[in-house]
Amino acid sequence: MKVQFPLLVFAALLVFSAAPEKSCASAESLIGFIRNHVEKAMAAEEINMTRYHTYKAVNTIEKARPQFEDCGCDYANKNIHESLESLKLATRVSTLEGARILLQRAMEYALASRDALEDHESHGSRYGDDRLALNTADAPEVKAPAGSLSMDQIEGKIDLALEKYRKSLEDVVQDVPCREALEFVERIYAHCERQLLREDLTPAKRYYNMRTKDITENALKALGDCSN
């Protein structure tokens, strides 16, 4: 006998609602449902089916918010929020190509959130990489013995990591309808500006946000005001 998806989600929410540890397990479990719907949305050949599965993913994240909050993992919360924002934009895009780009970003954020939940007790181990090119919350940590890299070398590594981000933005500018792309890019630009106002940024993170802002500004220029 098949168990309907909403019942599975409801059961997961009930089972894991008692304690932070169980909330973290519940949140991680629900990411599997989110991933399933995003994959179906990306595979759909009609925009209406893409939107249908995208809305399913949006609704799952909305229902899972209490679990993410109770878990208390800031990294997971940040990434699942970014995944949600990308999904919402994808529901408003009128082409399959544009929707799939945003869905891919949503998938990457959701998987980054899952990784953060897995590493909730020790965030230093896997969360320093640059696997998620559009996550501008923090600069990738440069793993090297203290004093072994000059600032020029560190900046070179950051530039290399941001190359994937630059290419991702190019895809957004080219293939996502202008107004949706503009909203997406403006949100990243505003985040970089807020980060650069912080006084506690390390030189590496300040450079990371400066370069991310520059790349994003170029995308904003390419988009213009979407009046055409």
Side-chain angles (χ1 to χ4, degrees):
M1 182 178 69
K2 293 184 178 179
V3 179
Q4 294 299 315
F5 171 77
L7 294 179
L8 288 174
V9 174
F10 181 68
L13 294 177
L14 285 179
V15 170
F16 294 113
S17 61
E21 293 81 5
K22 291 183 178 180
S23 293
C24 294
S26 176
E28 186 176 341
S29 160
L30 288 167
I31 287 175
F33 293 114
I34 296 164
R35 179 179 183 176
N36 183 52
H37 281 301
V38 174
E39 287 176 344
K40 288 181 178 178
M42 292 174 67
E45 296 298 330
E46 296 180 0
I47 191 65
N48 286 340
M49 287 303 297
T50 294
R51 288 174 179 161
Y52 171 79
H53 290 296
T54 302
Y55 277 120
K56 287 284 189 180
V58 167
N59 290 338
T60 303
I61 293 178
E62 294 286 8
K63 290 177 181 178
R65 276 184 173 181
Q67 278 61 47
F68 280 93
E69 291 173 3
D70 290 345
C71 176
C73 178
D74 289 341
Y75 288 115
N77 277 323
K78 287 178 182 178
N79 281 287
I80 205 65
H81 173 75
E82 291 298 332
S83 181
L84 179 61
E85 291 301 311
S86 293
L87 288 170
K88 287 179 178 178
L89 282 174
T91 65
R92 291 155 44 191
V93 171
S94 58
T95 65
L96 284 171
E97 293 78 8
R100 284 169 181 162
I101 290 171
L102 293 170
L103 288 166
Q104 181 61 40
R105 301 286 76 77
M107 176 74 84
E108 289 171 356
Y109 280 119
L111 294 180
S113 183
R114 181 201 62 190
D115 290 348
L117 289 168
E118 290 177 355
D119 288 346
H120 187 36
E121 296 302 317
S122 55
H123 275 134
S125 59
R126 292 167 55 191
Y127 213 73
D129 65 14
D130 65 339
R131 191 174 70 82
L132 181 58
L134 293 185
N135 183 5
T136 58
D138 297 288
E141 298 295 341
V142 179
K143 304 294 184 182
S148 66
L149 292 180
S150 68
M151 192 59 203
D152 285 345
Q153 289 172 315
I154 291 172
E155 290 178 357
K157 287 181 175 292
I158 291 172
D159 287 338
L160 185 61
L162 285 173
E163 183 61 20
K164 192 200 298 186
Y165 170 68
R166 184 186 64 78
K167 290 179 179 178
S168 295
L169 271 195
E170 285 182 355
D171 289 341
V172 170
V173 170
Q174 291 173 8
D175 296 325
V176 175
C178 187
R179 293 194 182 280
E180 285 81 1
L182 185 61
E183 180 180 341
F184 183 76
V185 176
E186 283 179 338
R187 184 158 50 85
I188 298 173
Y189 187 83
H191 176 83
C192 291
E193 287 195 316
R194 290 195 300 271
Q195 289 293 301
L196 289 169
L197 292 175
R198 292 173 51 180
E199 296 182 356
D200 61 341
L201 288 182
T202 64
K205 288 187 177 182
R206 184 165 297 279
Y207 179 79
Y208 176 83
N209 280 281
M210 287 177 60
R211 289 291 299 121
T212 303
K213 181 182 174 183
D214 289 343
I215 294 168
T216 309
E217 186 172 7
N218 288 335
L220 285 173
K221 290 176 181 177
L223 288 167
D225 60 4
C226 295
S227 58
N228 295 330

